[in-house]
């Protein structure tokens, strides 16, 4: 019950912050892997959907995307396939078994994920779905593992939600990753 209430609190704070910025996209990241960012992004997206809001969950952890597994769906096609021009973002969107929640999985494995992101206009990437959904929750890569999230943050795609694991994530890692963002 305590964990669920903590996620509800985060959901409420996030909705308020996005409203103040007149935005609907939130990018979840962390300093390193195994911090809980994917679980947090998934739970916040589910709680938003349970409020009756249309939510799009996007797996932009292009190297280690796992959201599809949690939702019992296939990994591809997805984000990488859209970035390569193989299909549209709407063509990669999949309805989940949770009412009001859709997913765009990470997609086919690629060797050049950072280059794909760097050479893409991420605001244009999200344009076709921005008006279709109330909220877009993006699960991105850990900041200190790969440069993908820094690329997204530099393009000012949405608000960044930083997840750190209590009593695990070193303060120096948090500071360094904040500086990178």
């Amino acid at each position: 019950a305590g964990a669920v209430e903590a996620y509800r609190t985060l959901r409420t704070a996030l909705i308020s912050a996005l409203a103040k910025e007149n935005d609907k996209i939130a990018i979840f990241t962390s300093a390193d892997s195994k911090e809980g960012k994917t679980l947090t992004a998934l739970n916040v997206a589910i709680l938003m959907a349970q409020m009756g809001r249309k939510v799009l969950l996007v797996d932009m952890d292009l190297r280690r995307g796992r959201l599809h597994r949690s939702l019992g769906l296939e990994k591809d096609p997805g984000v990488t396939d859209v970035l390569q021009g193989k299909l549209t973002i709407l063509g990669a969107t999949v309805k989940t078994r949770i009412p009001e929640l859709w997913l765009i999985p990470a997609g086919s494995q690629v060797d050049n994920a950072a280059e794909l992101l760097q050479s893409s206009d991420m605001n244009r990437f999200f344009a076709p779905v921005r008006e279709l959904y109330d909220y877009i929750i993006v699960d991105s890569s850990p900041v200190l593992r790969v440069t993908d999230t820094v690329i997204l943050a530099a393009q000012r795609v949405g608000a960044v939600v930083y997840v750190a694991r209590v009593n695990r994530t070193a303060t120096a890692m948090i500071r360094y990753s904040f500086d990178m963002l």
Side-chain angles (χ1 to χ4, degrees), residues 42 45-46 49-50 53 55-58 67-74 92-105 133:
L42 176 61
I46 290 170
Q50 288 176 342
R53 302 301 199 282
V55 180
L56 177 62
L57 184 58
V58 183
L67 282 170
H68 66 284
R69 279 193 228 151
S70 299
L71 295 165
L73 299 168
E74 297 295 320
T93 304
V94 181
K95 178 75 177 97
T96 72
R97 67 186 186 287
I98 299 165
E100 302 301 323
L101 181 64
W102 286 260
L103 171 72
I104 300 176
Y133 295 92

Side-chain angles (χ1 to χ4, degrees), residues 145-161:
R145 290 277 173 186
V146 293
T147 191
D148 301 6
T149 303
V150 175
I151 293 168
L152 290 174
Q155 291 194 35
R156 301 196 186 279
V157 173
V160 176
V161 179

Side-chain angles (χ1 to χ4, degrees), residues 27-87:
I27 302 167
F28 283 71
T29 191
S30 60
D32 204 358
S33 54
K34 299 187 177 157
E35 303 265 350
K37 68 168 182 61
T38 298
L39 180 63
T40 303
L42 176 61
N43 282 325
V44 167
I46 290 170
L47 287 170
M48 287 175 157
Q50 288 176 342
M51 292 174 52
R53 302 301 199 282
K54 284 183 72 171
V55 180
L56 177 62
L57 184 58
V58 183
D59 195 342
M60 292 194 93
D61 191 343
L62 301 182
R63 292 166 183 84
R64 299 183 67 211
R66 295 180 313 252
L67 282 170
H68 66 284
R69 279 193 228 151
S70 299
L71 295 165
L73 299 168
E74 297 295 320
K75 184 177 181 179
D76 54 14
V79 173
T80 57
D81 304 286
V82 174
L83 293 175
Q84 292 175 39
K86 294 179 181 177
L87 74 160

